Amino acid sequence: MTISLYQASVPAFIRALNNLAAILEKGAAHAQARKIDESVLLNSRLYPDMFPLVRQVQIATDTVRSGAGRLAGVDFPSYEDKEATFQELAQRIGKTTAFLQSLQPAQIDGGEDKTISWQSRSSTRSMQGQAYLMNHLLPNVHFHVTTAYGILRHNGVELGKKDFLGPA
Amino acid sequence: MTISLYQASVPAFIRALNNLAAILEKGAAHAQARKIDESVLLNSRLYPDMFPLVRQVQIATDTVRSGAGRLAGVDFPSYEDKEATFQELAQRIGKTTAFLQSLQPAQIDGGEDKTISWQSRSSTRSMQGQAYLMNHLLPNVHFHVTTAYGILRHNGVELGKKDFLGPA
Protein backbone atom coordinates (compact mmCIF):
# COMPACT_ATOMS: atom_id res chain seq x y z
CA MET A 1 0.00 0.00 0.00
CA THR A 2 0.97 3.60 -0.45
CA ILE A 3 -0.63 7.01 0.11
CA SER A 4 -2.28 8.77 -2.80
CA LEU A 5 -1.40 12.38 -3.47
CA TYR A 6 -5.06 13.29 -2.91
CA GLN A 7 -5.18 11.49 0.44
CA ALA A 8 -2.01 13.24 1.60
CA SER A 9 -3.31 16.66 0.61
CA VAL A 10 -7.04 17.49 0.49
CA PRO A 11 -8.20 15.62 3.63
CA ALA A 12 -5.19 16.99 5.55
CA PHE A 13 -6.01 20.53 4.40
CA ILE A 14 -9.68 20.17 5.34
CA ARG A 15 -8.68 18.81 8.72
CA ALA A 16 -6.31 21.72 9.36
CA LEU A 17 -9.01 24.23 8.37
CA ASN A 18 -11.62 22.57 10.58
CA ASN A 19 -9.22 22.75 13.51
CA LEU A 20 -8.46 26.40 12.71
CA ALA A 21 -12.19 27.17 12.61
CA ALA A 22 -12.67 25.56 16.03
CA ILE A 23 -9.68 27.49 17.45
CA LEU A 24 -11.13 30.77 16.14
CA GLU A 25 -14.51 29.93 17.63
CA LYS A 26 -12.85 29.70 21.04
CA GLY A 27 -11.13 33.02 20.36
CA ALA A 28 -14.47 34.64 19.49
CA ALA A 29 -16.13 33.18 22.60
CA HIS A 30 -13.24 34.42 24.75
CA ALA A 31 -13.59 37.95 23.37
CA GLN A 32 -17.35 37.94 23.88
CA ALA A 33 -17.17 36.58 27.44
CA ARG A 34 -14.62 39.21 28.47
CA LYS A 35 -16.14 42.07 26.46
CA ILE A 36 -12.93 42.41 24.44
CA ASP A 37 -13.38 44.09 21.06
CA GLU A 38 -12.69 41.20 18.69
CA SER A 39 -10.56 43.45 16.50
CA VAL A 40 -8.01 43.49 19.33
CA LEU A 41 -7.48 39.76 18.93
CA LEU A 42 -7.75 39.83 15.14
CA ASN A 43 -5.01 42.46 14.91
CA SER A 44 -2.77 40.89 17.52
CA ARG A 45 0.64 39.59 16.46
CA LEU A 46 3.68 37.99 18.10
CA TYR A 47 6.11 40.66 16.91
CA PRO A 48 5.68 43.99 15.12
CA ASP A 49 6.85 42.69 11.73
CA MET A 50 4.88 39.45 11.89
CA PHE A 51 1.39 39.15 10.42
CA PRO A 52 -1.61 39.57 12.74
CA LEU A 53 -4.16 36.86 13.40
CA VAL A 54 -6.51 37.88 10.60
CA ARG A 55 -3.70 37.63 8.04
CA GLN A 56 -2.56 34.25 9.39
CA VAL A 57 -6.03 32.90 8.68
CA GLN A 58 -6.15 34.49 5.23
CA ILE A 59 -2.79 32.96 4.30
CA ALA A 60 -3.75 29.54 5.69
CA THR A 61 -6.77 29.48 3.38
CA ASP A 62 -4.79 30.92 0.45
CA THR A 63 -2.15 28.22 0.87
CA VAL A 64 -4.55 25.33 0.59
CA ARG A 65 -6.95 26.73 -2.04
CA SER A 66 -4.10 27.64 -4.40
CA GLY A 67 -2.08 24.55 -3.49
CA ALA A 68 -4.90 22.08 -3.98
CA GLY A 69 -6.02 23.92 -7.11
CA ARG A 70 -2.55 23.69 -8.63
CA LEU A 71 -2.20 20.02 -7.69
CA ALA A 72 -5.56 19.37 -9.39
CA GLY A 73 -4.76 21.58 -12.35
CA VAL A 74 -7.95 23.60 -11.96
CA ASP A 75 -8.71 27.26 -11.45
CA PHE A 76 -9.05 28.14 -7.80
CA PRO A 77 -11.13 30.88 -6.18
CA SER A 78 -9.55 34.12 -5.04
CA TYR A 79 -10.84 36.04 -2.05
CA GLU A 80 -10.50 39.68 -1.15
CA ASP A 81 -8.54 40.16 2.06
CA LYS A 82 -11.11 42.25 3.86
CA GLU A 83 -12.31 40.13 6.80
CA ALA A 84 -12.76 42.18 9.98
CA THR A 85 -14.63 39.78 12.26
CA PHE A 86 -14.34 36.20 13.46
CA GLN A 87 -17.55 35.46 11.61
CA GLU A 88 -16.11 36.68 8.31
CA LEU A 89 -13.02 34.55 8.84
CA ALA A 90 -15.25 31.54 9.51
CA GLN A 91 -17.04 32.23 6.22
CA ARG A 92 -13.72 32.39 4.37
CA ILE A 93 -12.69 29.08 5.88
CA GLY A 94 -16.07 27.60 4.94
CA LYS A 95 -15.76 28.73 1.31
CA THR A 96 -12.27 27.27 1.15
CA THR A 97 -13.40 23.96 2.60
CA ALA A 98 -16.24 23.80 0.08
CA PHE A 99 -13.76 24.32 -2.76
CA LEU A 100 -11.49 21.58 -1.38
CA GLN A 101 -14.45 19.21 -1.09
CA SER A 102 -15.30 19.84 -4.75
CA LEU A 103 -11.96 18.35 -5.87
CA GLN A 104 -11.91 14.71 -6.90
CA PRO A 105 -9.08 12.25 -6.19
CA ALA A 106 -8.67 11.57 -9.92
CA GLN A 107 -7.81 15.23 -10.51
CA ILE A 108 -4.87 15.07 -8.10
CA ASP A 109 -3.70 11.46 -7.94
CA GLY A 110 -0.64 10.61 -10.01
CA GLY A 111 0.69 14.16 -9.98
CA GLU A 112 3.72 13.43 -7.79
CA ASP A 113 6.14 14.32 -10.60
CA LYS A 114 4.02 17.02 -12.23
CA THR A 115 5.77 20.37 -12.31
CA ILE A 116 3.88 22.98 -10.33
CA SER A 117 4.80 26.59 -11.09
CA TRP A 118 3.55 29.68 -9.36
CA GLN A 119 4.36 33.30 -8.85
CA SER A 120 5.63 34.12 -5.37
CA ARG A 121 5.98 37.67 -4.09
CA SER A 122 9.50 37.92 -5.51
CA SER A 123 9.92 35.28 -8.23
CA THR A 124 8.48 32.42 -10.25
CA ARG A 125 8.71 29.22 -8.20
CA SER A 126 8.56 25.69 -9.48
CA MET A 127 8.44 22.32 -7.68
CA GLN A 128 7.32 18.80 -8.43
CA GLY A 129 3.93 17.78 -7.02
CA GLN A 130 5.15 15.59 -4.16
CA ALA A 131 7.81 18.07 -2.99
CA TYR A 132 5.31 20.91 -3.37
CA LEU A 133 2.96 19.10 -1.00
CA MET A 134 5.49 17.74 1.51
CA ASN A 135 8.01 20.62 1.64
CA HIS A 136 5.75 23.57 0.96
CA LEU A 137 1.99 23.13 1.40
CA LEU A 138 1.74 20.96 4.51
CA PRO A 139 4.41 22.81 6.52
CA ASN A 140 2.92 26.13 5.40
CA VAL A 141 -0.66 25.43 6.40
CA HIS A 142 0.46 23.94 9.72
CA PHE A 143 2.67 27.00 10.25
CA HIS A 144 -0.20 29.45 9.86
CA VAL A 145 -2.67 27.43 11.93
CA THR A 146 -0.04 27.06 14.68
CA THR A 147 0.74 30.78 14.58
CA ALA A 148 -2.97 31.63 14.80
CA TYR A 149 -3.15 29.29 17.80
CA GLY A 150 -0.03 30.89 19.30
CA ILE A 151 -1.40 34.42 18.91
CA LEU A 152 -4.64 33.46 20.68
CA ARG A 153 -2.77 31.55 23.41
CA HIS A 154 -0.50 34.56 23.88
CA ASN A 155 -3.66 36.62 24.47
CA GLY A 156 -4.94 34.26 27.11
CA VAL A 157 -7.45 32.22 25.11
CA GLU A 158 -7.75 28.78 26.71
CA LEU A 159 -6.64 26.36 24.04
CA GLY A 160 -4.72 23.11 24.18
CA LYS A 161 -2.83 20.92 21.75
CA LYS A 162 -6.00 18.90 21.20
CA ASP A 163 -7.60 21.96 19.62
CA PHE A 164 -4.74 22.10 17.15
CA LEU A 165 -4.70 18.38 16.38
CA GLY A 166 -8.47 18.01 16.18
CA PRO A 167 -10.62 14.98 16.93
CA ALA A 168 -8.78 11.65 17.09
CA MET B 1 2.25 6.96 -8.86
CA THR B 2 1.69 7.36 -5.17
CA ILE B 3 3.70 8.41 -2.11
CA SER B 4 5.26 5.74 0.06
CA LEU B 5 4.74 5.92 3.81
CA TYR B 6 8.51 6.24 4.24
CA GLN B 7 8.73 9.15 1.77
CA ALA B 8 5.88 10.96 3.52
CA SER B 9 7.47 10.55 6.94
CA VAL B 10 11.23 10.19 7.44
CA PRO B 11 12.45 12.75 4.86
CA ALA B 12 9.78 15.22 6.04
CA PHE B 13 10.89 14.73 9.65
CA ILE B 14 14.57 15.18 8.79
CA ARG B 15 13.72 18.31 6.83
CA ALA B 16 11.75 19.77 9.75
CA LEU B 17 14.61 19.01 12.16
CA ASN B 18 17.21 20.55 9.84
CA ASN B 19 15.11 23.69 9.62
CA LEU B 20 14.68 23.73 13.40
CA ALA B 21 18.45 23.39 13.86
CA ALA B 22 19.05 26.34 11.52
CA ILE B 23 16.43 28.43 13.36
CA LEU B 24 18.10 27.66 16.71
CA GLU B 25 21.51 28.59 15.28
CA LYS B 26 20.12 32.02 14.48
CA GLY B 27 18.73 32.23 18.01
CA ALA B 28 22.14 31.34 19.47
CA ALA B 29 23.88 33.89 17.25
CA HIS B 30 21.35 36.55 18.25
CA ALA B 31 21.97 35.88 21.96
CA GLN B 32 25.73 35.97 21.51
CA ALA B 33 25.72 39.17 19.45
CA ARG B 34 23.57 40.99 22.02
CA LYS B 35 25.20 39.44 25.09
CA ILE B 36 21.88 37.89 26.12
CA ASP B 37 22.20 34.89 28.43
CA GLU B 38 21.01 32.07 26.18
CA SER B 39 18.96 30.62 29.02
CA VAL B 40 16.68 33.65 28.69
CA LEU B 41 15.71 32.58 25.19
CA LEU B 42 15.65 28.87 26.03
CA ASN B 43 13.20 29.48 28.88
CA SER B 44 11.04 31.95 27.01
CA ARG B 45 7.44 31.02 26.25
CA LEU B 46 4.39 32.63 24.62
CA TYR B 47 2.18 32.28 27.68
CA PRO B 48 2.82 31.15 31.27
CA ASP B 49 1.21 27.73 30.82
CA MET B 50 2.82 27.01 27.45
CA PHE B 51 6.11 25.14 27.17
CA PRO B 52 9.33 27.15 26.83
CA LEU B 53 11.62 26.98 23.81
CA VAL B 54 13.81 24.20 25.19
CA ARG B 55 10.77 21.97 25.73
CA GLN B 56 9.39 22.72 22.27
CA VAL B 57 12.62 21.38 20.80
CA GLN B 58 12.61 18.34 23.06
CA ILE B 59 9.03 17.49 22.06
CA ALA B 60 9.74 18.05 18.35
CA THR B 61 12.53 15.46 18.52
CA ASP B 62 10.46 13.11 20.71
CA THR B 63 7.58 13.27 18.24
CA VAL B 64 9.62 12.15 15.25
CA ARG B 65 11.91 9.62 16.97
CA SER B 66 8.99 7.80 18.60
CA GLY B 67 6.74 8.29 15.58
CA ALA B 68 9.22 7.00 13.03
CA GLY B 69 10.26 4.19 15.38
CA ARG B 70 6.66 3.07 15.80
CA LEU B 71 5.98 3.26 12.05
CA ALA B 72 9.10 1.12 11.47
CA GLY B 73 8.27 -1.24 14.33
CA VAL B 74 11.69 -0.80 15.93
CA ASP B 75 12.89 0.35 19.33
CA PHE B 76 13.65 4.04 19.38
CA PRO B 77 16.14 5.94 21.51
CA SER B 78 15.03 7.88 24.56
CA TYR B 79 16.79 11.04 25.69
CA GLU B 80 16.91 12.67 29.10
CA ASP B 81 15.33 16.13 29.04
CA LYS B 82 18.25 18.02 30.48
CA GLU B 83 19.46 20.32 27.68
CA ALA B 84 20.41 23.77 28.97
CA THR B 85 22.20 25.32 25.98
CA PHE B 86 21.62 25.79 22.27
CA GLN B 87 24.57 23.49 21.65
CA GLU B 88 22.99 20.70 23.67
CA LEU B 89 19.74 21.11 21.74
CA ALA B 90 21.69 20.91 18.49
CA GLN B 91 23.22 17.65 19.71
CA ARG B 92 19.81 16.25 20.54
CA ILE B 93 18.56 17.16 17.08
CA GLY B 94 21.66 15.59 15.54
CA LYS B 95 21.16 12.32 17.43
CA THR B 96 17.51 12.25 16.35
CA THR B 97 18.41 12.87 12.71
CA ALA B 98 21.00 10.07 12.84
CA PHE B 99 18.34 7.69 14.17
CA LEU B 100 15.91 8.72 11.41
CA GLN B 101 18.61 8.19 8.78
CA SER B 102 19.20 4.67 10.10
CA LEU B 103 15.63 3.64 9.17
CA GLN B 104 15.10 1.90 5.86
CA PRO B 105 12.09 2.42 3.56
CA ALA B 106 11.29 -1.31 3.72
CA GLN B 107 10.78 -1.05 7.50
CA ILE B 108 8.06 1.58 7.08
CA ASP B 109 6.52 1.13 3.64
CA GLY B 110 3.23 -0.72 3.53
CA GLY B 111 2.30 0.17 7.10
CA GLU B 112 -0.58 2.50 6.19
CA ASP B 113 -3.14 0.20 7.86
CA LYS B 114 -0.88 -1.06 10.63
CA THR B 115 -2.27 -0.29 14.08
CA ILE B 116 0.07 1.96 16.04
CA SER B 117 -0.52 2.05 19.81
CA TRP B 118 1.20 4.22 22.32
CA GLN B 119 0.84 5.52 25.82
CA SER B 120 -0.01 9.22 26.01
CA ARG B 121 0.12 11.21 29.21
CA SER B 122 -3.44 10.26 30.07
CA SER B 123 -4.39 7.12 28.11
CA THR B 124 -3.46 4.43 25.61
CA ARG B 125 -3.85 5.81 22.11
CA SER B 126 -4.20 3.84 18.91
CA MET B 127 -4.29 4.90 15.25
CA GLN B 128 -3.63 3.34 11.88
CA GLY B 129 -0.27 4.14 10.27
CA GLN B 130 -1.46 6.61 7.65
CA ALA B 131 -3.71 8.54 10.05
CA TYR B 132 -0.96 8.47 12.68
CA LEU B 133 1.37 10.15 10.20
CA MET B 134 -1.06 12.60 8.58
CA ASN B 135 -3.23 13.58 11.57
CA HIS B 136 -0.74 13.27 14.40
CA LEU B 137 2.98 13.20 13.54
CA LEU B 138 3.27 15.75 10.73
CA PRO B 139 0.99 18.38 12.36
CA ASN B 140 2.75 17.80 15.69
CA VAL B 141 6.31 18.24 14.48
CA HIS B 142 5.32 21.30 12.44
CA PHE B 143 3.51 22.67 15.49
CA HIS B 144 6.58 22.48 17.71
CA VAL B 145 9.00 23.82 15.08
CA THR B 146 6.60 26.71 14.38
CA THR B 147 6.22 27.44 18.08
CA ALA B 148 10.01 27.42 18.55
CA TYR B 149 10.19 29.85 15.61
CA GLY B 150 7.41 31.98 17.14
CA ILE B 151 9.12 32.16 20.53
CA LEU B 152 12.38 33.33 18.95
CA ARG B 153 10.56 35.82 16.68
CA HIS B 154 8.67 37.13 19.70
CA ASN B 155 12.07 37.75 21.30
CA GLY B 156 13.34 39.72 18.33
CA VAL B 157 15.42 37.09 16.54
CA GLU B 158 15.48 37.92 12.83
CA LEU B 159 13.87 34.97 11.14
CA GLY B 160 11.63 34.65 8.10
CA LYS B 161 9.30 32.04 6.67
CA LYS B 162 12.18 30.76 4.53
CA ASP B 163 13.97 29.67 7.71
CA PHE B 164 10.94 27.59 8.61
CA LEU B 165 10.41 26.10 5.16
CA GLY B 166 14.08 25.44 4.51
CA PRO B 167 15.96 25.30 1.21
CA ALA B 168 13.79 25.00 -1.92
Side-chain angles (χ1 to χ4, degrees):
Chain A
M1 260 191 72
T2 50
I3 308 176
S4 80
L5 193 62
Y6 174 87
Q7 280 299 329
S9 57
V10 171
F13 298 162
I14 291 173
R15 185 177 178 86
L17 290 187
N18 285 343
N19 296 340
L20 177 59
I23 286 166
L24 294 174
E25 267 182 39
K26 290 201 176 179
H30 176 97
Q32 192 168 26
R34 282 158 191 78
K35 302 193 193 310
I36 296 167
D37 186 331
E38 60 184 313
S39 71
V40 175
L41 295 184
L42 293 170
N43 292 302
S44 178
R45 54 186 100 213
L46 295 178
Y47 200 68
D49 68 353
M50 282 183 80
F51 287 129
L53 177 60
V54 65
R55 190 85 193 100
Q56 300 291 342
V57 178
Q58 289 165 345
I59 299 176
T61 58
D62 288 351
T63 298
V64 296
R65 74 172 167 72
S66 60
R70 288 181 188 125
L71 287 173
V74 301
D75 289 337
F76 46 85
S78 169
Y79 310 128
E80 275 188 87
D81 294 328
K82 57 174 190 182
E83 291 84 4
T85 65
F86 279 106
Q87 194 183 352
E88 286 168 4
L89 288 178
Q91 288 165 354
R92 184 181 180 118
I93 292 171
K95 283 190 293 184
T96 308
T97 304
F99 168 68
L100 292 173
Q101 286 169 335
S102 77
L103 298 173
Q104 301 303 312
Q107 295 174 289
I108 291 181
D109 282 345
E112 286 79 2
D113 292 338
K114 186 170 91 169
T115 299
I116 309 282
S117 297
W118 74 101
Q119 192 65 35
S120 79
R121 269 176 295 180
S122 53
S123 63
T124 302
R125 303 280 313 272
S126 170
M127 297 176 88
Q128 288 189 297
Q130 183 172 324
Y132 181 57
L133 173 63
M134 297 303 302
N135 302 350
H136 188 84
L137 297 179
L138 284 173
N140 241 328
V141 68
H142 292 151
F143 177 94
H144 291 289
V145 176
T146 301
T147 303
Y149 172 100
I151 290 170
L152 288 173
R153 283 288 263 122
H154 184 62
N155 278 279
V157 177
E158 287 186 22
L159 293 164
K161 173 77 81 64
K162 280 185 186 168
D163 295 297
F164 172 77
L165 289 175
Chain B
M1 263 192 72
T2 50
I3 308 177
S4 82
L5 193 62
Y6 173 87
Q7 279 299 330
S9 57
V10 171
F13 297 163
I14 292 173
R15 185 177 177 85
L17 290 187
N18 285 343
N19 296 340
L20 177 59
I23 286 166
L24 294 173
E25 266 181 39
K26 290 200 177 181
H30 176 97
Q32 193 169 26
R34 283 158 190 78
K35 302 192 192 311
I36 297 166
D37 186 331
E38 61 183 314
S39 71
V40 175
L41 295 184
L42 292 170
N43 292 304
S44 178
R45 53 186 100 213
L46 295 177
Y47 200 68
D49 68 353
M50 282 182 81
F51 286 129
L53 177 59
V54 65
R55 190 85 194 99
Q56 300 291 343
V57 178
Q58 289 165 345
I59 299 176
T61 59
D62 288 351
T63 299
V64 295
R65 73 171 168 72
S66 60
R70 288 180 189 126
L71 287 174
V74 301
D75 289 338
F76 47 85
S78 169
Y79 310 128
E80 274 189 86
D81 294 328
K82 58 174 190 181
E83 291 84 4
T85 64
F86 279 106
Q87 195 183 350
E88 287 169 3
L89 287 178
Q91 288 165 354
R92 183 180 180 118
I93 293 171
K95 284 191 292 185
T96 308
T97 304
F99 168 68
L100 293 173
Q101 286 168 335
S102 77
L103 298 172
Q104 301 303 312
Q107 295 175 290
I108 291 181
D109 283 345
E112 286 80 3
D113 291 338
K114 187 170 91 169
T115 299
I116 309 280
S117 296
W118 75 101
Q119 193 64 36
S120 79
R121 271 176 294 180
S122 53
S123 63
T124 301
R125 302 280 313 273
S126 170
M127 296 175 88
Q128 288 189 299
Q130 181 171 324
Y132 181 56
L133 173 64
M134 296 304 303
N135 302 349
H136 189 83
L137 297 180
L138 284 173
N140 242 326
V141 68
H142 292 151
F143 177 93
H144 291 290
V145 176
T146 301
T147 304
Y149 171 101
I151 291 170
L152 288 173
R153 284 287 264 122
H154 184 61
N155 278 279
V157 177
E158 287 186 22
L159 294 164
K161 172 76 82 62
K162 280 185 186 169
D163 295 297
F164 172 77
L165 290 175

